Amino acid sequence: MLDMQHETFLRFSNGRAKAFTLSYDDGVAADKRLLKILDSYGVKCTFNLNSGVFPDKGLHNRMDEREALDAFKNCRHEIALHGHRHLYLTKVSKVQAAQEIVANREYLESRYERLVCGMAYAYGATNAEICDVLRSLGVHYARTTYSTGKFDLPSDFLRWDPTCHHTDAHLQEIAQRFVATSPLDERKARESYLFYVWGHSYEFDDNNNWHIITDLLDVVGSRDEVWYAANGEICDYVNAYRSLQWGIEDQLVYNPTCTELWVERDKKLYCIPAGATVHFDI
Ligand SMILES: [Zn+2]
């Protein structure tokens, strides 16, 4: 019946309505301490690495090549692009911008032996032309430095605005809101929550405030209702969800991807296995 109205909402891995992710830039020595903290809370992070500026010990104590490989090669977190030389991509030619990404990808993929398709913009600098360059080079997502203060998923992953930086004056308030409220308690606005925090770990050393990250993870870490995922896992999951194929009457849905997907429809949770077609009973 075409006049039947059904509202469907994305649910994350295993049907969860909330996800939490982190993004830390520049590959600095303080990342080693951050890794230990993140692992003790079971959360996941994306580390955005340059490839043509090591070591520059004068600048925020960047790791050299060996240290960075030791820290990240076999870690459970994601590594992503941050430009070969940390240039403002909007201040160089398109060709140079493309070279920044290609050289960065070549280096990271060969040394770390994994696909590297995510990115954080150096200085947050981007525009429509840079997004075109990234798209043509197979970059799936790129993080800006514009804080939304919200838990929304991005409509365009090449302009992925985080919730906030870890120095945001409202960080604790936002974290409390993330755990104390739920889309499942809403009547209409039942969109899943994504809480996305970014920063540089050297800021914790420079300002002697490592408690910021442990205070945050005391609130948001180790919770069954939250999916802890790296940026790329969230991007892949949401892109898979967005490629679900719906029947004309909204009763059938086909999952053409290799990812198990979860949908909430009329307040009921459904799993749509990889490659399966599901018929809704309402
Ligand atoms: Zn940076």
Side-chain angles (χ1 to χ4, degrees):
M1 299 262 280
L2 285 169
D3 58 348
M4 294 282 282
Q5 301 295 316
H6 299 288
E7 287 175 333
T8 56
F9 297 94
L10 176 152
R11 293 294 174 249
F12 293 113
S13 176
N14 286 319
R16 295 179 179 96
K18 297 181 186 179
F20 176 74
T21 195
L22 291 159
S23 174
Y24 275 78
D25 297 354
D26 297 346
V28 297
D31 284 348
K32 289 184 266 187
R33 180 169 172 184
L34 180 61
L35 279 163
K36 287 202 179 86
I37 294 170
L38 302 181
D39 290 344
S40 72
Y41 284 91
V43 300
K44 288 179 91 171
C45 181
T46 296
F47 289 92
N48 306 294
L49 307 177
N50 304 117
S51 41
V53 284
F54 358 54
D56 187 350
K57 295 286 187 188
L59 185 65
H60 307 308
N61 203 10
R62 280 173 183 267
M63 286 188 263
D64 65 24
E65 296 186 66
R66 187 73 253 161
E67 276 180 287
L69 274 168
D70 286 348
F72 297 121
K73 182 143 188 182
N74 297 311
C75 77
R76 50 190 279 284
H77 304 273
E78 180 186 18
I79 57 164
L81 309 164
H82 198 43
H84 185 57
R85 291 161 295 171
H86 205 282
L87 300 183
Y88 275 96
L89 295 183
T90 52
K91 306 290 182 196
V92 296
S93 71
K94 252 166 104 167
V95 172
Q96 281 198 333
Q99 282 172 339
E100 274 287 292
I101 306 311
V102 170
N104 199 195
R105 266 195 87 175
E106 276 178 351
Y107 177 92
L108 293 176
E109 291 189 350
S110 64
R111 303 300 167 94
Y112 291 83
E113 297 176 306
R114 37 173 134 163
L115 274 174
V116 182
C117 300
M119 178 164 155
Y121 294 109
Y123 313 105
T126 186
N127 58 33
E129 281 201 321
I130 296 301
C131 289
D132 286 344
V133 170
L134 297 190
R135 208 173 283 114
S136 70
L137 296 175
V139 177
H140 296 166
Y141 73 84
R143 193 211 75 220
T144 73
T145 52
Y146 175 76
S147 297
T148 65
K150 296 179 179 173
F151 303 135
D152 297 346
L153 289 168
S155 52
D156 179 357
F157 272 102
L158 292 179
R159 291 175 185 262
W160 192 351
D161 298 327
T163 308
C164 64
H165 185 278
H166 73 237
T167 56
D168 191 298
H170 302 289
L171 179 69
Q172 268 297 324
E173 185 188 314
I174 296 169
Q176 293 293 346
R177 177 156 47 91
F178 180 68
V179 298
T181 65
S182 169
L184 305 182
D185 299 331
E186 298 285 337
R187 197 172 70 84
K188 294 293 280 181
R190 294 173 69 83
E191 294 291 352
S192 293
Y193 290 178
L194 170 65
F195 186 13
Y196 186 142
V197 177
W198 77 282
H200 310 89
S201 61
Y202 62 75
E203 297 173 87
F204 299 127
D205 275 341
D206 290 355
N207 303 305
N208 193 26
N209 60 7
W210 279 93
H211 68 89
I212 285 182
I213 190 74
T214 51
D215 290 350
L216 171 66
L217 298 180
D218 280 343
V219 176
V220 304
S222 309
R223 304 180 76 92
D224 288 342
E225 77 275 22
V226 179
W227 184 36
Y228 301 102
N231 292 195
E233 292 173 282
I234 290 169
C235 176
D236 286 346
Y237 186 90
V238 173
N239 282 335
Y241 180 88
R242 289 176 179 169
S243 52
L244 282 171
Q245 297 173 14
W246 294 87
I248 195 77
E249 289 192 0
D250 247 10
Q251 295 296 101
L252 288 170
V253 63
Y254 167 57
N255 177 359
T257 78
C258 61
T259 303
E260 177 181 278
L261 295 167
W262 293 81
V263 172
E264 188 200 283
R265 181 180 164 98
D266 299 334
K267 300 192 178 175
K268 278 179 71 179
L269 193 59
Y270 294 87
C271 174
I272 308 170
T277 297
V278 167
H279 188 276
F280 292 109
D281 48 20
I282 49 171

